[in-house]
Structures are given as structure tokens and as C-alpha cells.
Amino acid sequence: MRKAWRKAWMLVGVWMASTGLLHAQSNAEMNAANNPLQPSLGLNLQDAYTGSYYNLDDADANAFLLRGAIPHKLFGLPQLMRTTLPLVTTPNLAPDGRTTRMGDFNVFDVALFKAGPFEMGIGPQLTAPTAGDSRTGTGKWQAGLAALAIAPKAWGLIGGLVTWQHSFAGSGNRSTQNNLQVQPFFIYNLPRAWYFRSTATWTWDLHAGTHYLPVGVGMGKIWKDRSGVTYNLFAEPQFTAAREGDGVPQFQLFFGLNLQFPL
């Protein structure tokens, strides 16, 4: 599975580097390509590979994330809706072994505004139990809040995303969900449309009392074709620096291709 994904992303990179329609970006355009609050139509093909877990020998897992961003207006206010549908491959653990099935569908919709140097987004989020297997989802309907704050700088971006959600319906045989996630966001622009990134997500399971706090160190490259479509290819290894509890990720690799389309 890992070899197939590596080959696929290598082919994408070769194609993007070889086409004559792509050119490097200015700092402002690079910031727009990396800004999660950018009001543009987006399609993200992302993959989160977990190479190891604490106290789960030789276990690995994968989640392919199909994400979309749709700008719109509601009650005259600019909004940005982001959807995520994962395809999850579980660890190969006894007695059930490995499986690959759809995960739970998540959507949040944030109202966009400015507060001092920050671009802000605040709104509700909802998770639906769409998983194709009990091991690839929670079996619970969940609702909560999402809040983003991003400060564009001449050198890049700094900010973060905070989400919280709690289960309110679903299977009575499944565990209560009460989860908080914080994603610090740091982008530093480099020459020739390369950039450094650190965007690992910190996760607290408030019901189980576990957490893990990874640190990411990655790179990315941005192109833009003549039709105005922006391509953003990146890879970010992430190492857990602090944690509480077993069975949480120890090493992850987050990589993907983000596309932004002109409206």
C-alpha cells in the first residue's frame, strides 16, 4: 500500500514539474494557496499515514482524505464550507485484521471576518456516522464548533484551527465521543515557490482521557497554470512529542495535493 501511494505521488510530481503551463508564485499568491480561509473553490487530495503507534507492535494505518472547500454567502455574510470524507485502512490487529472502508463524513461552515491582523472563521461542525465498518468510524452523530485564525505575513502564514465536537446520537453500543483538536499552522515561504510547513494536529480524547501532540516538519511546492488553477504539493512527517495513553500515533506522514480553482 505504501509503495503504491509513493509511486502515485511521484507521478503527480513528475507531471507537474514537466508541464510548461506551470509557473512559480509571488509571496501573496503562495499565502493564498496555503491559507485555509482563502475564499476559493478547493479540492484537496490528502493522505495521513500512521507508521507506528505506542504499544501496538508493527501496527500501521492509513486515511485517504477527500476534502472540498466551497465559498458562499449566508444572510449576506461570507462563509466557507469544508467537507471531509475519509477512506480508512485500519491496523492489522487480531482478531479482525485489516480492513479498508469509508469513514465518518465531517463538514463545518465558518463565517469569515477580520479581527486586527487576523483573518477569522467561526461556525458549527457536524460529523455523520457514514463509516462502512465499525472499525473505521465512531457509530455516532457528533456536533460542535470550528474556529480558525490566520495572520498573513510577508514571509508566510501563522495561525491555527480549533475544533471540538461531542456525540449526541447513534449506536448505544459505541463509546461517547468528546474530542478536541488544535492544529497550529506555520508556513514559511522559500525561493522558487517552495515553502516550509508545520501543521500537525494535536488531539485530545476528553472522554477516554488520552491525547497526543505531534510536531510536523515538512516542505511543499506551489504552481499555477494559465487557466488560474493553483496546485499545491506537500509532504510533512510528524513525530509525537507528548502523549497520554496507549494506542495513539507515534509517527505519521501527512502528504497531498491541494487544488484551488478560480471563481
Side-chain angles (χ1 to χ4, degrees):
M1 179 183 66
R2 282 176 283 177
K3 290 183 178 179
W5 279 117
R6 284 199 297 266
K7 184 177 180 180
W9 288 113
M10 285 177 63
L11 289 174
V12 171
V14 169
W15 169 75
M16 295 181 69
S18 64
T19 176
L21 297 179
L22 304 176
H23 61 82
Q25 309 296 286
S26 67
N27 279 343
E29 289 174 316
M30 289 180 67
N31 283 353
N34 278 311
N35 191 340
L37 290 176
Q38 181 68 16
S40 61
L41 189 64
L43 174 64
N44 299 343
L45 308 174
Q46 301 175 346
D47 197 271
Y49 170 70
T50 303
S52 60
Y53 292 86
Y54 285 99
N55 295 327
L56 290 180
D57 292 338
D58 299 323
D60 65 345
N62 196 79
F64 173 75
L65 308 174
L66 178 62
R67 282 179 164 155
I70 304 172
H72 64 100
K73 282 192 175 183
L74 185 64
F75 306 117
L77 294 174
Q79 313 266 323
L80 185 65
M81 180 172 64
R82 191 186 82 173
T83 61
T84 302
L85 183 63
L87 180 66
V88 179
T89 298
T90 63
N92 187 17
L93 299 175
D96 298 318
R98 190 185 300 276
T99 189
T100 298
R101 294 289 188 275
M102 204 67 69
D104 292 340
F105 175 78
N106 174 265
V107 57
F108 66 70
D109 188 88
V110 294
L112 305 178
F113 60 96
K114 289 190 176 183
F118 288 95
E119 298 177 5
M120 304 287 295
I122 298 176
Q125 76 162 330
L126 177 71
T127 295
T130 57
D133 188 277
S134 61
R135 290 167 289 171
T136 62
T138 63
K140 294 287 191 178
W141 286 89
Q142 302 171 66
L145 296 171
L148 296 96
I150 299 293
K153 304 291 185 180
W155 47 261
L157 300 170
I158 190 168
L161 164 66
V162 178
T163 63
W164 169 82
Q165 58 183 350
H166 197 291
S167 56
F168 64 91
S171 172
N173 297 323
R174 304 297 297 277
S175 298
T176 298
Q177 298 296 307
N178 184 9
N179 299 299
L180 172 68
Q181 291 191 318
V182 178
Q183 184 183 19
F185 205 84
F186 179 79
I187 302 289
Y188 190 84
N189 296 331
L190 299 170
R192 302 183 63 84
W194 288 91
Y195 65 89
F196 169 85
R197 60 179 286 140
S198 181
T199 66
T201 299
W202 304 343
T203 300
W204 287 264
D205 184 331
L206 302 177
H207 179 73
T210 63
H211 68 263
Y212 63 96
L213 312 180
V215 176
V217 181
M219 297 286 290
K221 171 91 171 164
I222 297 170
W223 297 265
K224 190 172 184 180
D225 70 21
R226 293 175 183 174
S227 69
V229 179
T230 300
Y231 302 83
N232 186 347
L233 188 67
F234 69 90
E236 182 181 332
Q238 300 175 349
F239 307 88
T240 296
R243 55 103 182 186
E244 178 68 34
D246 295 329
V248 298
Q250 184 175 21
F251 167 76
Q252 301 173 90
L253 176 62
F254 183 48
F255 62 99
L257 173 64
N258 299 339
L259 295 90
Q260 289 180 348
F261 302 91
L263 296 175

